[in-house]
Structure formats: structure tokens, C-alpha cells
Amino acid sequence: MVVPYRPVISDKRTASLKQREPVMGRRSLLKGLAGLTGVSCASSLFPSPAISAEQELEVFCWKGYFNQEIIDEFKKDTGIQVYLTEYDSNDEALLMLKATKGLGFDLVFPSSSFLTNWHLARDLLQPIDEGKLDLGLIHGSILSNAENMGTIYRGRRYALPFAWGCEGIVFDSLLRDYQPGEISWNDQWSFINKGFVATRPGSALTSMALMLDGTGERLDSAYLNEDLSREVFGEALLFAKEHKSHVRQFWRDTEGLASAFTLNNCVVGQGWGGAAHTLWKQTKSRFKFLAPKEGALAWLDTLAIPAGSTNVDQGYELINWLLSPKGAGMFMASSGYNSVVKDAHNELDLAAQERFNFSYNDAKAIDDLYWLKPEPAWFRDLRDIYVRKYVEAA
């Protein structure tokens, strides 16, 4: 399985965390494995010698997820010291836990589109004890959709939804008056936008397929049926070629997205929500972001407990803290990603609340997110063929 591209938020700030002194045993092993897998080890600024194992937690997470303020605040609230080891990809995280046979960490954050790989590796994760959590704090539609995205395995919950992000429509608010709940993926392809669209080739065909589908049902089925995939992407490619003259710039990374609007005079286009919100702040609300009514293209990160966790109770303490309005709000402010906790955005500063409410129609757009699925190799290869045809089309 292949994970849909997970963008880095350009304005994310990761605290400068001091390397923890190596000790004998599992941490010596982890240090060696980190060099093998390319993950980076970081820890809190608090001294460790006087802290017992019962008061600490080993967290294996995406780079930039947690800053020093979060670590300090959690310790103040619970007395538990968090030590971080960070990774840059799902492959790195899975490789590390395979090498340690599930030992060495108390929490890990796999993307939902990669959970199948974790399940296939067997016995790396332990079931979630739902009795220790209030799942009602999680947005209902996200929790229910996640059950079809790998969080449930063999009838038991092995992962919890934790964070999400998406691709939607970025636009110049001085020149276009798009509104929440009204904008469609099709609006960027209207005649008025001819020659002023920015888009990412790799996901443009997916949003076009969703737009032509309307419900996402055919696109869902296309992940499972190669003949249907050819049909769905063939229709999207035909539309893409017919509207190729609308495209002013193809972009492939955060910097490319920003420059398309700030330097190349693009007016509208498909973009990552986090990067778009950064652009929104930097341009004093000129460029804004909206989730289309057919559904923004969304990815989901989850939270799981490795099978070899030695601090399970402390792990649940952190999970519950992160599911609280305070913890969820601090995570959103620190990372630039969205929390799955209901109304977590209300914990942000007023400007950030305004951006979230406008972009997601006061959170109503969350129910309509189109969740990207795990991609079989044949699906990825087939889509890439159609993407190349789109880019190379006259």
C-alpha cells in the first residue's frame, strides 16, 4: 500500500529539544536503530535521572507534532515526562517498530492509509481499551469513517483518529467572492478563471473524478476495480485536457503553491489547507481557502499503542489529554494540522478560529470530507499514467 502525499506545514515550529543521555538497554537499542532508519531522537529539556519509569512516556511521532510547550504543559497537568523520537514517514515508523518487535515506545501515530501495513506486520500494535477513553469527544463523522479506514482490525479497535488535513480550493479574495458551503471543485474551471488556475497534477485528476462523480461512490469503487479505475480516470483526463488552457501553473510543493499565487498571479486553484492558511496569514487575508461542497480530499493520522509498551496507563493519560479541548487546541496551534476533537478550533486565537470557520463552513464541511484510501500498487501506477498524459497534453 502507498500513502497519499502528506504535506509539511511550512510555518510549523518544532522546539529545539535536547538529546536525552543514552542509557543501557532499550534506549541504546533505539539509538542504534534510529541511525539505521533515519528517524531523529529528541527529548524534553527536563533532566531525567530522578524520574522513575512510572512517570515517563516514550512517544514516537511525526516530526513537528509536539513542541516544548505541549510537553511542559502535559507534565504540569499529570506529572508525566514525555520523551520524543520523531520520524518523517510511515515507512520509517513501521521499520523501527518491526526492528524492535513492538518494543521501545508507548505511543505511535500511523496514517490511516498505512494501517493495513501495520496489521500485516502482525502483533506490533495492541487493541485500544475504549473503556479508558471518551470517544464522544471525537467528531462523529471522522470516528465512523475511520472504522472503514483500518482503525478496526479483527473486530477490535487498534487505532484512534487523531489529526487530519486536506486539499481544497485556494483563491484570491480581492478578485473572487467564493463562499463556504457554495463553492464547487468545478468553480475553478469556469470561463472567468481561464489562464489563472494553479493545481497539483498528482491530485488534480482525483478532484476532477470526485467532481464528475458528485458523491464519491464511483471513485471509492475505483480503488478496488482496475477496469472502473480506467473509466473514472479516463473521464477525468478528458475533462482535464479540455480545460488545460485554464492552468497557469502546476505546483508540486508548499513553496510552489505559494509562489503560484504571490508571484505568478494565479487567482484560484487546488491547494493544501495548512499551506493555504499560512499564505492567508502572510498576505493579510488576501488569499483564502475553502473546502468544496463535493468534499475536500482528506488524509487522516491515527494514534496507536505499540504491543511492547511498558507505560500503558501513562499512554492513556496522554491520549485523554490530547482529546481534551486544551490538548487538542494546543496541538492544532503547534502543528498546523487539524485535531479530530469536536470544536478544538475554538481553543485557537480568534484569527485562527476565523480561518477555520470560513474554510470549513463552521465545521459543517467536516461531514463531507472525501477520505483518501490506501492505494494498491496497480492503482497508483495506473493513476500516474493518466497524470503524465495530463501534464504532457498540448
Side-chain angles (χ1 to χ4, degrees):
M1 299 292 183
V2 174
V3 187
Y5 183 71
R6 182 181 188 282
V8 174
I9 305 303
S10 60
D11 68 338
K12 191 190 297 179
R13 296 291 184 264
T14 304
S16 178
L17 303 177
K18 190 186 300 178
Q19 175 99 14
R20 184 174 186 175
E21 289 299 318
V23 296
M24 294 299 291
R26 66 190 179 99
R27 292 195 182 95
S28 298
L29 171 64
L30 293 176
K31 183 178 179 183
L33 289 171
L36 259 169
T37 61
V39 299
S40 59
C41 294
S43 73
S44 165
L45 295 172
F46 281 89
S48 61
I51 299 175
S52 70
E54 287 72 26
Q55 296 173 292
E56 62 185 38
L57 194 63
E58 298 282 353
V59 173
F60 196 28
C61 66
W62 288 93
K63 185 174 292 184
Y65 249 18
F66 304 119
N67 64 9
Q68 191 63 48
E69 183 182 4
I70 289 178
I71 293 172
D72 292 347
E73 194 68 17
F74 176 67
K75 184 180 180 183
K76 185 177 76 173
D77 290 346
T78 66
I80 299 170
Q81 179 66 69
V82 169
Y83 295 98
L84 298 181
T85 302
E86 299 178 322
Y87 54 85
D88 290 306
S89 73
N90 282 290
D91 286 310
E92 289 179 6
L94 182 56
L95 177 60
M96 175 72 91
L97 268 296
K98 278 184 174 180
T100 66
K101 301 187 185 302
L103 296 169
F105 297 106
D106 301 307
L107 291 177
V108 67
F109 296 81
S111 296
S112 64
S113 51
F114 213 74
L115 281 171
T116 300
N117 301 54
W118 286 81
H119 298 325
L120 291 174
R122 294 185 179 278
D123 302 324
L124 290 183
L125 304 176
Q126 59 179 275
I128 298 290
D129 185 347
E130 298 182 19
K132 295 182 177 180
L133 304 168
D134 183 0
L135 299 185
L137 295 170
I138 299 174
H139 197 287
S141 69
I142 297 179
L143 186 64
S144 60
N145 276 291
E147 293 182 356
N148 299 315
M149 297 162 64
T151 59
I152 303 295
Y153 179 61
R154 295 176 178 171
R156 304 186 68 179
R157 192 182 303 277
Y158 278 79
L160 284 177
F162 176 67
W164 62 276
C166 65
E167 286 187 58
I169 293 179
V170 186
F171 68 98
D172 187 338
S173 65
L174 296 181
L175 301 175
R176 300 290 183 269
D177 187 29
Y178 298 130
Q179 293 299 315
E182 300 175 5
I183 193 168
S184 165
W185 283 114
N186 194 43
D187 286 330
Q188 61 187 326
W189 306 113
S190 64
F191 180 77
I192 193 174
N193 291 324
K194 188 173 183 178
F196 294 100
V197 174
T199 196
R200 187 167 75 98
S203 53
L205 289 184
T206 302
S207 64
M208 291 175 188
L210 179 60
M211 176 193 73
L212 295 171
D213 178 351
T215 65
E217 293 179 2
R218 289 183 74 231
L219 185 55
D220 284 344
S221 299
Y223 282 89
L224 306 174
N225 184 308
E226 187 169 348
D227 290 336
L228 180 59
S229 292
R230 293 181 183 277
E231 184 178 324
V232 167
F233 283 118
E235 293 169 0
L237 178 61
L238 180 61
F239 180 91
K241 287 181 175 179
E242 291 173 349
H243 294 80
K244 183 75 177 291
S245 59
H246 279 62
V247 178
R248 188 178 190 87
Q249 181 176 327
F250 284 131
W251 62 270
R252 289 174 173 79
D253 54 29
T254 300
E255 290 73 21
L257 172 61
S259 65
F261 287 92
T262 59
L263 299 178
N264 201 24
N265 299 317
C266 288
V267 173
V268 66
Q270 184 166 335
W272 294 316
H277 279 189
T278 298
L279 188 62
W280 191 329
K281 289 184 289 184
Q282 292 173 343
T283 62
K284 299 181 179 180
S285 302
R286 175 176 176 177
F287 297 103
K288 297 185 177 182
F289 175 84
L290 281 170
K293 60 186 180 182
E294 299 92 344
L297 305 182
W299 54 264
L300 179 71
D301 280 350
T302 70
L303 188 156
I305 303 174
S309 170
T310 56
N311 299 296
V312 175
D313 290 340
Q314 291 78 6
Y316 280 106
E317 286 275 358
L318 179 55
I319 295 172
N320 281 308
W321 191 86
L322 290 169
L323 291 180
S324 71
K326 174 183 178 179
M330 289 186 70
F331 167 76
M332 286 185 68
S334 166
S335 68
Y337 299 125
N338 298 315
S339 169
V340 300
V341 174
K342 290 184 291 188
D343 299 326
H345 61 282
N346 290 333
E347 301 296 316
L348 302 174
D349 62 62
L350 292 178
Q353 289 183 43
E354 180 183 348
R355 289 191 293 271
F356 185 95
N357 286 323
F358 182 86
S359 296
Y360 302 110
N361 195 18
D362 294 322
K364 291 190 286 291
I366 295 175
D367 291 333
D368 298 320
L369 292 172
Y370 180 79
W371 296 100
L372 295 169
K373 312 298 186 296
E375 298 176 353
W378 64 263
F379 180 91
R380 181 189 71 251
D381 293 342
L382 181 62
R383 183 201 57 211
D384 289 349
I385 290 173
Y386 283 90
V387 170
R388 285 196 298 272
K389 290 180 178 180
Y390 175 33
V391 173
E392 295 169 359

mmCIF file of all heavy atoms in Angstrom, residues 169 175-176 178 183-197 211 239 242-243 245-247 267-269:
data_model
loop_
_atom_site.group_PDB
_atom_site.id
_atom_site.type_symbol
_atom_site.label_atom_id
_atom_site.label_comp_id
_atom_site.label_asym_id
_atom_site.label_seq_id
_atom_site.Cartn_x
_atom_site.Cartn_y
_atom_site.Cartn_z
ATOM 1 N N ILE A 169 -9.795 24.413 -2.191
ATOM 2 C CA ILE A 169 -9.612 25.471 -3.175
ATOM 3 C C ILE A 169 -9.046 26.731 -2.519
ATOM 4 O O ILE A 169 -9.589 27.243 -1.542
ATOM 5 C CB ILE A 169 -10.939 25.797 -3.889
ATOM 6 C CG1 ILE A 169 -11.362 24.594 -4.739
ATOM 7 C CG2 ILE A 169 -10.810 27.043 -4.758
ATOM 8 C CD1 ILE A 169 -12.661 24.776 -5.481
ATOM 9 N N LEU A 175 -10.302 39.237 -5.877
ATOM 10 C CA LEU A 175 -10.811 39.068 -7.238
ATOM 11 C C LEU A 175 -11.972 38.085 -7.346
ATOM 12 O O LEU A 175 -12.685 38.078 -8.356
ATOM 13 C CB LEU A 175 -9.673 38.606 -8.155
ATOM 14 C CG LEU A 175 -8.475 39.553 -8.246
ATOM 15 C CD1 LEU A 175 -7.366 38.929 -9.073
ATOM 16 C CD2 LEU A 175 -8.897 40.893 -8.837
ATOM 17 N N ARG A 176 -12.151 37.231 -6.330
ATOM 18 C CA ARG A 176 -13.244 36.252 -6.345
ATOM 19 C C ARG A 176 -13.953 36.284 -4.995
ATOM 20 O O ARG A 176 -13.303 36.430 -3.950
ATOM 21 C CB ARG A 176 -12.730 34.844 -6.630
ATOM 22 C CG ARG A 176 -12.012 34.680 -7.964
ATOM 23 C CD ARG A 176 -12.975 34.791 -9.145
ATOM 24 N NE ARG A 176 -12.271 34.568 -10.407
ATOM 25 C CZ ARG A 176 -11.703 35.546 -11.137
ATOM 26 N NH1 ARG A 176 -11.777 36.807 -10.719
ATOM 27 N NH2 ARG A 176 -11.081 35.273 -12.252
ATOM 28 N N TYR A 178 -15.866 33.748 -3.443
ATOM 29 C CA TYR A 178 -16.382 32.416 -3.135
ATOM 30 C C TYR A 178 -16.764 32.334 -1.656
ATOM 31 O O TYR A 178 -16.114 32.935 -0.795
ATOM 32 C CB TYR A 178 -15.332 31.357 -3.458
ATOM 33 C CG TYR A 178 -14.944 31.312 -4.922
ATOM 34 C CD1 TYR A 178 -13.606 31.336 -5.310
ATOM 35 C CD2 TYR A 178 -15.907 31.250 -5.922
ATOM 36 C CE1 TYR A 178 -13.235 31.291 -6.647
ATOM 37 C CE2 TYR A 178 -15.556 31.205 -7.261
ATOM 38 C CZ TYR A 178 -14.225 31.233 -7.628
ATOM 39 O OH TYR A 178 -13.874 31.185 -8.950
ATOM 40 N N ILE A 183 -19.073 26.799 -2.805
ATOM 41 C CA ILE A 183 -18.040 26.591 -3.824
ATOM 42 C C ILE A 183 -17.952 25.119 -4.222
ATOM 43 O O ILE A 183 -18.102 24.216 -3.395
ATOM 44 C CB ILE A 183 -16.670 27.099 -3.328
ATOM 45 C CG1 ILE A 183 -15.676 27.183 -4.488
ATOM 46 C CG2 ILE A 183 -16.139 26.230 -2.194
ATOM 47 C CD1 ILE A 183 -14.407 27.933 -4.153
ATOM 48 N N SER A 184 -17.732 24.887 -5.501
ATOM 49 C CA SER A 184 -17.579 23.542 -6.063
ATOM 50 C C SER A 184 -16.183 23.399 -6.660
ATOM 51 O O SER A 184 -15.542 24.397 -7.020
ATOM 52 C CB SER A 184 -18.630 23.309 -7.153
ATOM 53 O OG SER A 184 -18.311 22.176 -7.948
ATOM 54 N N TRP A 185 -15.715 22.160 -6.739
ATOM 55 C CA TRP A 185 -14.464 21.924 -7.458
ATOM 56 C C TRP A 185 -14.557 22.492 -8.878
ATOM 57 O O TRP A 185 -13.561 22.924 -9.458
ATOM 58 C CB TRP A 185 -14.170 20.425 -7.529
ATOM 59 C CG TRP A 185 -13.628 19.798 -6.291
ATOM 60 C CD1 TRP A 185 -14.238 18.862 -5.498
ATOM 61 C CD2 TRP A 185 -12.332 20.020 -5.707
ATOM 62 N NE1 TRP A 185 -13.421 18.495 -4.458
ATOM 63 C CE2 TRP A 185 -12.244 19.191 -4.555
ATOM 64 C CE3 TRP A 185 -11.248 20.839 -6.020
ATOM 65 C CZ2 TRP A 185 -11.109 19.157 -3.739
ATOM 66 C CZ3 TRP A 185 -10.123 20.811 -5.210
ATOM 67 C CH2 TRP A 185 -10.066 19.973 -4.084
ATOM 68 N N ASN A 186 -15.753 22.509 -9.429
ATOM 69 C CA ASN A 186 -15.941 22.955 -10.804
ATOM 70 C C ASN A 186 -15.756 24.462 -10.969
ATOM 71 O O ASN A 186 -15.476 24.941 -12.072
ATOM 72 C CB ASN A 186 -17.345 22.563 -11.278
ATOM 73 C CG ASN A 186 -17.510 22.689 -12.785
ATOM 74 O OD1 ASN A 186 -16.627 22.298 -13.552
ATOM 75 N ND2 ASN A 186 -18.623 23.251 -13.211
ATOM 76 N N ASP A 187 -15.881 25.226 -9.872
ATOM 77 C CA ASP A 187 -15.796 26.681 -9.991
ATOM 78 C C ASP A 187 -14.431 27.151 -10.485
ATOM 79 O O ASP A 187 -14.344 28.177 -11.174
ATOM 80 C CB ASP A 187 -16.100 27.339 -8.638
ATOM 81 C CG ASP A 187 -17.575 27.291 -8.295
ATOM 82 O OD1 ASP A 187 -18.396 27.307 -9.235
ATOM 83 O OD2 ASP A 187 -17.910 27.204 -7.102
ATOM 84 N N GLN A 188 -13.376 26.417 -10.131
ATOM 85 C CA GLN A 188 -12.057 26.858 -10.594
ATOM 86 C C GLN A 188 -11.905 26.694 -12.103
ATOM 87 O O GLN A 188 -11.026 27.316 -12.713
ATOM 88 C CB GLN A 188 -10.956 26.093 -9.862
ATOM 89 C CG GLN A 188 -10.984 24.600 -10.064
ATOM 90 C CD GLN A 188 -9.981 23.864 -9.192
ATOM 91 O OE1 GLN A 188 -8.895 24.364 -8.911
ATOM 92 N NE2 GLN A 188 -10.335 22.667 -8.747
ATOM 93 N N TRP A 189 -12.781 25.881 -12.716
ATOM 94 C CA TRP A 189 -12.690 25.633 -14.151
ATOM 95 C C TRP A 189 -13.703 26.456 -14.950
ATOM 96 O O TRP A 189 -13.936 26.196 -16.135
ATOM 97 C CB TRP A 189 -12.885 24.142 -14.437
ATOM 98 C CG TRP A 189 -11.932 23.294 -13.652
ATOM 99 C CD1 TRP A 189 -12.236 22.427 -12.654
ATOM 100 C CD2 TRP A 189 -10.507 23.269 -13.783
ATOM 101 N NE1 TRP A 189 -11.093 21.858 -12.140
ATOM 102 C CE2 TRP A 189 -10.004 22.359 -12.818
ATOM 103 C CE3 TRP A 189 -9.588 23.928 -14.616
ATOM 104 C CZ2 TRP A 189 -8.649 22.081 -12.654
ATOM 105 C CZ3 TRP A 189 -8.233 23.664 -14.456
ATOM 106 C CH2 TRP A 189 -7.780 22.750 -13.496
ATOM 107 N N SER A 190 -14.314 27.464 -14.317
ATOM 108 C CA SER A 190 -15.243 28.337 -15.030
ATOM 109 C C SER A 190 -14.472 29.225 -16.006
ATOM 110 O O SER A 190 -13.257 29.422 -15.878
ATOM 111 C CB SER A 190 -16.035 29.201 -14.047
ATOM 112 O OG SER A 190 -15.163 30.079 -13.344
ATOM 113 N N PHE A 191 -15.186 29.783 -16.971
ATOM 114 C CA PHE A 191 -14.536 30.556 -18.037
ATOM 115 C C PHE A 191 -13.763 31.742 -17.480
ATOM 116 O O PHE A 191 -12.693 32.098 -17.978
ATOM 117 C CB PHE A 191 -15.590 31.042 -19.042
ATOM 118 C CG PHE A 191 -14.998 31.844 -20.160
ATOM 119 C CD1 PHE A 191 -14.330 31.222 -21.213
ATOM 120 C CD2 PHE A 191 -15.082 33.237 -20.161
ATOM 121 C CE1 PHE A 191 -13.757 31.959 -22.249
ATOM 122 C CE2 PHE A 191 -14.514 33.981 -21.187
ATOM 123 C CZ PHE A 191 -13.868 33.345 -22.232
ATOM 124 N N ILE A 192 -14.271 32.352 -16.412
ATOM 125 C CA ILE A 192 -13.635 33.546 -15.852
ATOM 126 C C ILE A 192 -12.227 33.249 -15.308
ATOM 127 O O ILE A 192 -11.391 34.141 -15.209
ATOM 128 C CB ILE A 192 -14.526 34.150 -14.736
ATOM 129 C CG1 ILE A 192 -14.033 35.563 -14.390
ATOM 130 C CG2 ILE A 192 -14.545 33.276 -13.503
ATOM 131 C CD1 ILE A 192 -14.930 36.288 -13.405
ATOM 132 N N ASN A 193 -11.963 31.981 -14.992
ATOM 133 C CA ASN A 193 -10.657 31.608 -14.432
ATOM 134 C C ASN A 193 -9.689 31.056 -15.469
ATOM 135 O O ASN A 193 -8.596 30.585 -15.108
ATOM 136 C CB ASN A 193 -10.851 30.581 -13.316
ATOM 137 C CG ASN A 193 -11.530 31.179 -12.097
ATOM 138 O OD1 ASN A 193 -11.293 32.331 -11.757
ATOM 139 N ND2 ASN A 193 -12.386 30.394 -11.444
ATOM 140 N N LYS A 194 -10.053 31.105 -16.722
ATOM 141 C CA LYS A 194 -9.181 30.579 -17.769
ATOM 142 C C LYS A 194 -7.852 31.315 -17.777
ATOM 143 O O LYS A 194 -7.785 32.539 -17.859
ATOM 144 C CB LYS A 194 -9.858 30.715 -19.134
ATOM 145 C CG LYS A 194 -9.105 30.018 -20.259
ATOM 146 C CD LYS A 194 -9.912 30.039 -21.552
ATOM 147 C CE LYS A 194 -9.183 29.278 -22.655
ATOM 148 N NZ LYS A 194 -9.972 29.256 -23.916
ATOM 149 N N GLY A 195 -6.764 30.531 -17.632
ATOM 150 C CA GLY A 195 -5.428 31.094 -17.628
ATOM 151 C C GLY A 195 -4.939 31.536 -16.264
ATOM 152 O O GLY A 195 -3.834 32.071 -16.157
ATOM 153 N N PHE A 196 -5.735 31.284 -15.204
ATOM 154 C CA PHE A 196 -5.359 31.764 -13.873
ATOM 155 C C PHE A 196 -5.447 30.691 -12.785
ATOM 156 O O PHE A 196 -5.522 31.011 -11.609
ATOM 157 C CB PHE A 196 -6.251 32.951 -13.480
ATOM 158 C CG PHE A 196 -6.042 34.166 -14.332
ATOM 159 C CD1 PHE A 196 -6.922 34.461 -15.366
ATOM 160 C CD2 PHE A 196 -4.952 34.993 -14.127
ATOM 161 C CE1 PHE A 196 -6.725 35.576 -16.165
ATOM 162 C CE2 PHE A 196 -4.746 36.118 -14.920
ATOM 163 C CZ PHE A 196 -5.634 36.412 -15.951
ATOM 164 N N VAL A 197 -5.409 29.423 -13.176
ATOM 165 C CA VAL A 197 -5.570 28.320 -12.217
ATOM 166 C C VAL A 197 -4.220 27.714 -11.854
ATOM 167 O O VAL A 197 -3.358 27.505 -12.714
ATOM 168 C CB VAL A 197 -6.485 27.213 -12.794
ATOM 169 C CG1 VAL A 197 -6.533 25.999 -11.856
ATOM 170 C CG2 VAL A 197 -7.894 27.755 -13.021
ATOM 171 N N MET A 211 -15.429 15.437 -8.630
ATOM 172 C CA MET A 211 -16.357 16.446 -9.131
ATOM 173 C C MET A 211 -17.329 15.848 -10.137
ATOM 174 O O MET A 211 -18.545 16.069 -10.068
ATOM 175 C CB MET A 211 -15.567 17.578 -9.779
ATOM 176 C CG MET A 211 -16.399 18.662 -10.442
ATOM 177 S SD MET A 211 -15.361 19.724 -11.470
ATOM 178 C CE MET A 211 -15.008 18.618 -12.860
ATOM 179 N N PHE A 239 -11.758 15.626 -19.233
ATOM 180 C CA PHE A 239 -12.107 16.947 -18.700
ATOM 181 C C PHE A 239 -10.855 17.796 -18.510
ATOM 182 O O PHE A 239 -10.839 18.988 -18.830
ATOM 183 C CB PHE A 239 -12.849 16.788 -17.371
ATOM 184 C CG PHE A 239 -13.252 18.079 -16.734
ATOM 185 C CD1 PHE A 239 -14.488 18.644 -17.014
ATOM 186 C CD2 PHE A 239 -12.398 18.754 -15.869
ATOM 187 C CE1 PHE A 239 -14.868 19.860 -16.441
ATOM 188 C CE2 PHE A 239 -12.762 19.958 -15.285
ATOM 189 C CZ PHE A 239 -14.002 20.520 -15.574
ATOM 190 N N GLU A 242 -9.569 19.166 -21.774
ATOM 191 C CA GLU A 242 -10.456 20.204 -22.285
ATOM 192 C C GLU A 242 -10.243 21.533 -21.560
ATOM 193 O O GLU A 242 -10.535 22.602 -22.118
ATOM 194 C CB GLU A 242 -11.914 19.766 -22.146
ATOM 195 C CG GLU A 242 -12.305 18.618 -23.073
ATOM 196 C CD GLU A 242 -13.701 18.101 -22.801
ATOM 197 O OE1 GLU A 242 -14.296 18.479 -21.763
ATOM 198 O OE2 GLU A 242 -14.223 17.328 -23.630
ATOM 199 N N HIS A 243 -9.746 21.466 -20.335
ATOM 200 C CA HIS A 243 -9.564 22.669 -19.523
ATOM 201 C C HIS A 243 -8.082 22.948 -19.230
ATOM 202 O O HIS A 243 -7.763 23.713 -18.324
ATOM 203 C CB HIS A 243 -10.343 22.541 -18.213
ATOM 204 C CG HIS A 243 -11.827 22.502 -18.399
ATOM 205 N ND1 HIS A 243 -12.499 21.358 -18.778
ATOM 206 C CD2 HIS A 243 -12.765 23.482 -18.280
ATOM 207 C CE1 HIS A 243 -13.793 21.623 -18.864
ATOM 208 N NE2 HIS A 243 -13.980 22.892 -18.584
ATOM 209 N N SER A 245 -6.065 24.737 -20.804
ATOM 210 C CA SER A 245 -5.731 26.146 -21.022
ATOM 211 C C SER A 245 -6.066 27.009 -19.812
ATOM 212 O O SER A 245 -5.628 28.164 -19.728
ATOM 213 C CB SER A 245 -6.469 26.681 -22.257
ATOM 214 O OG SER A 245 -7.880 26.557 -22.093
ATOM 215 N N HIS A 246 -6.819 26.467 -18.869
ATOM 216 C CA HIS A 246 -7.113 27.204 -17.645
ATOM 217 C C HIS A 246 -5.895 27.270 -16.721
ATOM 218 O O HIS A 246 -5.771 28.181 -15.905
ATOM 219 C CB HIS A 246 -8.259 26.529 -16.875
ATOM 220 C CG HIS A 246 -9.622 26.868 -17.390
ATOM 221 N ND1 HIS A 246 -10.054 26.573 -18.661
ATOM 222 C CD2 HIS A 246 -10.664 27.490 -16.768
ATOM 223 C CE1 HIS A 246 -11.305 26.982 -18.823
ATOM 224 N NE2 HIS A 246 -11.700 27.550 -17.688
ATOM 225 N N VAL A 247 -4.997 26.286 -16.862
ATOM 226 C CA VAL A 247 -3.887 26.141 -15.913
ATOM 227 C C VAL A 247 -2.776 27.143 -16.230
ATOM 228 O O VAL A 247 -2.213 27.145 -17.322
ATOM 229 C CB VAL A 247 -3.332 24.703 -15.927
ATOM 230 C CG1 VAL A 247 -2.139 24.594 -14.975
ATOM 231 C CG2 VAL A 247 -4.423 23.712 -15.528
ATOM 232 N N VAL A 267 -5.129 33.046 -9.599
ATOM 233 C CA VAL A 267 -6.294 33.593 -8.905
ATOM 234 C C VAL A 267 -7.023 32.531 -8.098
ATOM 235 O O VAL A 267 -7.604 32.809 -7.050
ATOM 236 C CB VAL A 267 -7.263 34.253 -9.912
ATOM 237 C CG1 VAL A 267 -8.566 34.679 -9.243
ATOM 238 C CG2 VAL A 267 -6.593 35.441 -10.586
ATOM 239 N N VAL A 268 -6.979 31.288 -8.568
ATOM 240 C CA VAL A 268 -7.705 30.208 -7.912
ATOM 241 C C VAL A 268 -6.989 28.899 -8.208
ATOM 242 O O VAL A 268 -6.232 28.788 -9.175
ATOM 243 C CB VAL A 268 -9.181 30.162 -8.415
ATOM 244 C CG1 VAL A 268 -9.238 29.782 -9.883
ATOM 245 C CG2 VAL A 268 -10.027 29.223 -7.570
ATOM 246 N N GLY A 269 -7.210 27.902 -7.373
ATOM 247 C CA GLY A 269 -6.595 26.610 -7.647
ATOM 248 C C GLY A 269 -6.710 25.659 -6.482
ATOM 249 O O GLY A 269 -7.215 25.999 -5.405
#
